[in-house]
Amino acid sequence: YMSGVMAKRACEGAGKRLCSQAEWTAACRGERGAAFPYGPSYAEGGCNVFREAHPAVVLYGDASKNHLDPRLNLAEGSNGPLLRRTGATPSCRSSWGQDGVYDMVGNLDEWVESESGAFQGGFYARSTREGCDARITVHPPQYLDYSLGVRCCQ
């Protein structure tokens, strides 16, 4: 439930900034430069994306309704909670030596720096197999809904 405007302010408030598309993609690909955090090609269930249900369908029977309902990210599909706790999908980890970054593909889309608005990663109910290259540019920075979050860069 974070707009691009709110995301930018949150990062600034933390003494950081929104990541550029290049920074975000590099972090997602990890030190191996893979197309997905876990490797070179799509693996079903590798990250929390392309799930079996859309939360608005679960609650309302229609994916286009009530995208500001706070219950959407609490919805469950046949395989459990649609939105998972960070790190709950261990295979969705971009490796950097002993360190790693979890859930850059799936879970929530993440705002990146763009005057016209852009987010990356693919949220849990999006039907995408684009991995670290998944990018949406059709919403202005003022837009928000249940599928949006942010990571900050320094």
Side-chain angles (χ1 to χ4, degrees), residues 1-84:
Y1 296 100
M2 184 166 287
S3 72
V5 173
M6 292 165 49
K8 185 173 184 172
R9 286 184 185 152
C11 289
E12 289 170 353
K16 300 178 182 181
R17 59 181 167 71
L18 283 176
C19 301
S20 71
Q21 176 185 353
E23 288 171 318
W24 192 99
T25 301
C28 182
R29 291 179 179 276
E31 64 190 358
R32 297 175 304 188
F36 295 84
Y38 49 79
S41 59
Y42 178 78
E44 187 172 340
C47 289
N48 190 27
V49 69
F50 212 110
R51 291 295 299 276
E52 73 278 7
H54 188 286
V57 171
V58 171
L59 295 177
Y60 301 106
D62 186 337
S64 67
K65 292 191 175 192
N66 300 316
H67 285 187
L68 296 180
D69 184 330
R71 299 175 300 158
L72 289 170
N73 285 332
L74 301 175
E76 295 197 14
S78 58
N79 295 319
L82 294 173
L83 176 63
R84 296 178 182 158

Side-chain angles (χ1 to χ4, degrees), residues 2-4 6-21 23-30 37 47-48 83-89 92-96 99-114 118-123 132 147-154:
M2 184 166 287
S3 72
M6 292 165 49
K8 185 173 184 172
R9 286 184 185 152
C11 289
E12 289 170 353
K16 300 178 182 181
R17 59 181 167 71
L18 283 176
C19 301
S20 71
Q21 176 185 353
E23 288 171 318
W24 192 99
T25 301
C28 182
R29 291 179 179 276
C47 289
N48 190 27
L83 176 63
R84 296 178 182 158
R85 294 177 78 81
T86 300
T89 309
C92 195
R93 180 181 182 269
S94 305
S95 296
W96 293 94
D99 291 327
V101 183
Y102 287 91
D103 302 313
M104 291 196 75
V105 171
N107 255 8
L108 295 176
D109 276 310
E110 299 175 0
W111 287 100
V112 293
E113 183 59 47
S114 169
F119 40 87
Q120 294 188 218
F123 82 105
C132 296
S147 69
L148 295 166
V150 67
R151 272 177 221 258
C152 303
C153 284
Q154 186 171 23

